[in-house]
Amino acid sequence: MTVLAPNESVSGSEALAGLAAMRADAAPLTGKHPDHTFRPLSERLAQWATDGIDTALIRAGIEGTRRRYSGYGLTRMLPLDRVLVGCESTRAGAFGGFHHPDQGYRHFQMVAVITMFGPMERPNPERPSLALLDLLRAYAHDCLHYGSRRRYVEVAGMPVRTQYGINFRRATGQSYSASDERGTPHTRNLGIVMEGACDREARSITRHAARLFGIEEPPDVLGALAFRDVTGTLTEADTTRVLDVPESEEQTRYAAALAGYEKGVDRRYAHFLKEFACGEEHECHTRLLAAIITGDMSELVAWLDARHGPGTFAGLFRTPGYFQPGLAA
């Protein structure tokens, strides 16, 4: 196993040893889901193919993701054996997918924990095409988290993250960017901006794969919501309706989590692009992604300054009183 992701750096031998130890054991993550059985993505895909499921969609999607991300400066993709896919659950009514609780990429362990979309009591997906699209969205999303610039320093012999993408944090815990006020449609939080940028890119990849393989929207309500979610085509009505699945409390919660993520992350990021890059959303988005991956903010900062005046980035995102020597913003 390679201890560090492609754009990570660590100061201090004890911090590096600490990361290596955490990255050798994913049990603290999978242990949060004792009802599910987790296998590496490579094993899941091989088993599904053996059982007659056509996995060409996700394999083509992964290769397309690799080519696309190389253009942003990401030289190495998240290894498939660092992606753990859960299913075969012993919990009656278990329902998985991108919005399953307590999953995603975890930087300390350098592992992505995700679940198979749909009913999880089985080893194979109930709806293979939709499950593969959901899996591709999750993988493309987590590859960007894996490949983002990340810097650790040693504090009392332990690794402490002081940079993630275009956001910074003092070793004492103070963040460069503050949380948004509850209920605001816009965002001034760099965590939301980076999460939204990663998901916008992942959904674009998934939308292309759905078109390429001719995957159509399912006729049922939850299936349609999930398809629109992974392809980035949710409507305003989709996020305001309350979907109650009487026979499944987990499916009801899943639909609510889906709508909450759309409103709390994706819509806020789209609002940010419209606010500060109206008519140039794609140009701003690509500069954001490149900066998140490489940690080099100079082009992004200059691009924003040219349109909104000097100091735009810091004026939007920097918490009062925060200062870090050498930081471009």
Side-chain angles (χ1 to χ4, degrees):
M1 182 191 74
T2 302
V3 173
L4 296 181
N7 293 306
E8 286 184 332
S9 64
V10 184
S11 298
S13 58
E14 289 187 49
L16 180 59
L19 276 179
M22 285 186 279
R23 292 176 176 185
D25 183 15
L29 301 180
T30 57
K32 295 179 180 180
H33 306 279
D35 302 326
H36 310 336
T37 298
F38 288 90
R39 306 283 185 216
L41 176 56
S42 53
E43 290 185 20
R44 285 292 181 205
L45 294 181
Q47 185 59 56
W48 292 348
T50 298
D51 292 342
I53 295 174
D54 186 356
T55 60
L57 182 155
I58 190 168
R59 295 189 185 279
I62 289 173
E63 177 57 26
T65 302
R66 184 192 64 78
R67 292 195 301 269
R68 182 163 175 158
Y69 288 178
S70 66
Y72 292 116
L74 182 52
T75 58
R76 208 165 73 231
M77 296 279 282
L78 176 59
L80 299 189
D81 64 355
R82 306 297 297 178
V83 181
L84 303 180
V85 182
C87 58
E88 300 172 276
S89 182
T90 59
R91 187 173 74 236
F95 192 89
F98 185 82
H99 301 287
H100 187 278
D102 204 7
Q103 69 170 42
Y105 183 74
R106 300 294 181 259
H107 69 97
F108 276 127
Q109 288 79 16
M110 201 172 74
V111 165
V113 173
I114 55 184
T115 50
M116 177 182 75
F117 176 79
M120 293 180 63
E121 297 168 83
R122 48 200 299 160
N124 296 334
E126 182 179 73
R127 303 183 187 192
S129 294
L130 192 51
L132 289 171
L133 286 174
D134 184 82
L135 197 56
L136 176 58
R137 185 259 193 100
Y139 179 75
H141 183 112
D142 287 341
C143 270
L144 289 171
H145 289 315
Y146 165 77
S148 298
R149 174 68 172 128
R150 200 172 279 107
R151 180 170 52 187
Y152 299 93
V153 299
E154 189 173 297
V155 177
M158 295 299 294
V160 173
R161 187 179 66 181
T162 57
Q163 180 179 1
Y164 165 47
I166 57 175
N167 199 10
F168 302 84
R169 184 181 297 274
R170 293 182 184 277
T172 55
Q174 183 189 16
S175 178
Y176 182 88
S177 174
S179 299
D180 291 321
E181 293 183 14
R182 186 177 179 85
T184 57
H186 64 270
T187 184
R188 299 294 183 266
N189 178 263
L190 285 171
I192 296 295
V193 169
M194 292 192 294
E195 179 74 3
C198 291
D199 204 45
R200 184 184 183 97
E201 194 71 7
R203 288 164 128 190
S204 177
I205 288 167
T206 309
R207 185 165 60 250
H208 175 75
R211 290 171 180 165
L212 185 64
F213 283 83
I215 309 301
E216 297 183 353
E217 182 179 300
D220 64 292
V221 176
L222 183 56
L225 279 176
F227 180 85
R228 294 172 194 169
D229 176 44
V230 299
T231 56
T233 55
L234 286 167
T235 66
E236 187 69 28
D238 291 332
T239 62
T240 56
R241 70 184 301 174
V242 177
L243 179 62
D244 183 15
V245 185
E247 67 276 14
S248 176
E249 183 181 345
E250 288 211 23
Q251 291 184 38
T252 298
R253 288 202 302 265
Y254 189 88
L258 182 157
Y261 186 88
E262 171 71 10
K263 289 184 288 188
V265 175
D266 291 306
R267 291 290 168 91
R268 282 182 173 181
Y269 179 60
H271 193 287
F272 168 78
L273 290 178
K274 189 173 182 180
E275 270 188 293
F276 297 99
C278 189
E280 298 180 287
E281 288 91 342
H282 179 71
E283 290 80 359
C284 185
H285 170 72
T286 57
R287 284 168 173 79
L288 269 165
L289 272 182
I292 290 168
I293 291 168
T294 65
D296 182 357
M297 298 168 54
S298 56
E299 185 177 342
L300 172 64
V301 168
W303 193 88
L304 288 170
D305 284 353
R307 284 151 182 79
H308 305 288
T312 296
F313 184 92
L316 287 174
F317 298 115
R318 189 168 63 195
T319 303
Y322 186 99
F323 176 73
Q324 182 169 316
L327 181 62

